[in-house]
C-alpha cells in the first residue's frame, strides 16, 4: 500500500512539473523581415542583368491560438490563426513605400517546462506556418498612385510556407511572452522568367493572454 501511494505521489509531481497551459489564448506583437527580390532581365546590348533589392518591412500581428492535442507530459500541438500587416519606406526617398498584409496558420509543437509551478514556465516551440497574402501594394509618390502587385501583370504568388521556432515565457499561467523566428521556403515569383521573391527571416516578439 505504501508503494502504491508513493507511486501516485511521484506521478503527481512528474505531471505537475510538465503541466502545459491548455485552452484559448489571444496574441499580439511586432514583426520585422526583409523582402528579397531577385530578377534576371535581358537587355539588347548588355545582355542578361540581375536586378536585386532587399527591403526591410516592419509591422504588427494579432491572432488566436488553441492547445488542441496533448502527447504525454508537457508536449502539445497548438494551431493558430493570425493577421499580419507590415510596411516599407525607402530611406532615400520617403515617397517610395509598400504595404503587405497576410494571414498565417501556424501549427506549433511545444514542450512545457515548469520552472516555478503555477508561476513561471518555459515553452520552446517549433512547427510549420502556412500563409496567404491578402494585399501587397506599393507607390512611388506617397500613395497618390498605387500599384497592386497581386495582379497578373506582376506575377506575385499569395501562398507561402515557413518553418518557425521560438521560446515563450509563461507567467502565472495567464501571460505568455515570446520571441520567434520564421524562415519562408517558397519563391513567390510566378512568372516565366528567372526570378526570386520571398520574405526572408521574419523575427517576431509578442505577448499573449491565456484564458
Amino acid at each position: 500500500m505504501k508503494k502504491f501511494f508513493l507511486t501516485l505521489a511521484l506521478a503527481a509531481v512528474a505531471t505537475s512539473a510538465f503541466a502545459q497551459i491548455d485552452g484559448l489564448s489571444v496574441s499580439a506583437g511586432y514583426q520585422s523581415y526583409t523582402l528579397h527580390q531577385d530578377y534576371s532581365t535581358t537587355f539588347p546590348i548588355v545582355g542578361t542583368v540581375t536586378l536585386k533589392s532587399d527591403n526591410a518591412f516592419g509591422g504588427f500581428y494579432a491572432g488566436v491560438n488553441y492547445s488542441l492535442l496533448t502527447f504525454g507530459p508537457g508536449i502539445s500541438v497548438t494551431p493558430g490563426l493570425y493577421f499580419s500587416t507590415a510596411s516599407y519606406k525607402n530611406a532615400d526617398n520617403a515617397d517610395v513605400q509598400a504595404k503587405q498584409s497576410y494571414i498565417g496558420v501556424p501549427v506549433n509543437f511545444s514542450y512545457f517546462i515548469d520552472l516555478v509551478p503555477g508561476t513561471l514556465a518555459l515553452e520552446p516551440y517549433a512547427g510549420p506556418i502556412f500563409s496567404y497574402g491578402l494585399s501587397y501594394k506599393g507607390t512611388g509618390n506617397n500613395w497618390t498612385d498605387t500599384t497592386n502587385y497581386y495582379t497578373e501583370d506582376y506575377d506575385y504568388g499569395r501562398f507561402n510556407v515557413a518553418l518557425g521556432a521560438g521560446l515563450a515565457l509563461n507567467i502565472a499561467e495567464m501571460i505568455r511572452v515570446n520571441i520567434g523566428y520564421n524562415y519562408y521556403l517558397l519563391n513567390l515569383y510566378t512568372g516565366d522568367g528567372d526570378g526570386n521573391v520571398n520574405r526572408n527571416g521574419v523575427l517576431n516578439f509578442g505577448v499573449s493572454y491565456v484564458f
Side-chain angles (χ1 to χ4, degrees), residues 5 23 35 50 59 62 65 71-72 88 103 117 136 143 148 154 169 192:
F5 284 112
L35 182 70
T50 300
N65 298 288
F71 298 99
Y88 157 80
I103 56 173
Y136 179 20
W143 303 109
N148 182 2
Y154 292 93
L169 177 66
D192 297 328

Side-chain angles (χ1 to χ4, degrees), residues 30 33 35 54-59 86-100 136-143:
Y30 177 81
Y33 59 85
L35 182 70
D54 292 293
N55 298 329
F57 281 72
S87 61
Y88 157 80
K89 182 179 291 187
N90 188 285
D92 299 320
N93 184 356
D95 288 339
V96 178
Q97 303 177 41
K99 296 178 181 179
Q100 287 187 329
Y136 179 20
K137 295 181 179 181
T139 182
N141 50 18
N142 199 21
W143 303 109

Side-chain angles (χ1 to χ4, degrees), residues 7 12 62 79 93 103 111 113 117 135 178-179 193 198 200 203:
T7 302
N93 184 356
I103 56 173
Y111 186 68
I113 306 170
S135 175
N178 73 277
I179 179 172
N198 206 346
N200 286 351
L203 184 64

Side-chain angles (χ1 to χ4, degrees), residues 1-91:
M1 184 64 69
K2 290 182 178 179
K3 290 183 179 180
F4 174 74
F5 284 112
L6 179 60
T7 302
L8 287 180
L10 291 175
V13 171
T15 303
S16 65
F18 298 99
Q20 57 265 43
I21 299 176
D22 296 323
L24 179 71
S25 62
V26 294
S27 305
Y30 177 81
Q31 63 177 357
S32 64
Y33 59 85
T34 298
L35 182 70
H36 173 76
Q37 301 181 86
D38 187 337
Y39 298 100
S40 294
T41 303
T42 301
F43 294 97
I45 298 177
V46 297
T48 301
V49 176
T50 300
L51 306 176
K52 296 184 179 181
S53 67
D54 292 293
N55 298 329
F57 281 72
F60 299 91
Y61 68 87
V64 295
N65 298 288
Y66 190 81
S67 294
L68 189 62
L69 298 173
T70 299
F71 298 99
I75 303 173
S76 64
V77 179
T78 305
L81 179 63
Y82 283 83
F83 171 79
S84 299
T85 180
S87 61
Y88 157 80
K89 182 179 291 187
N90 188 285

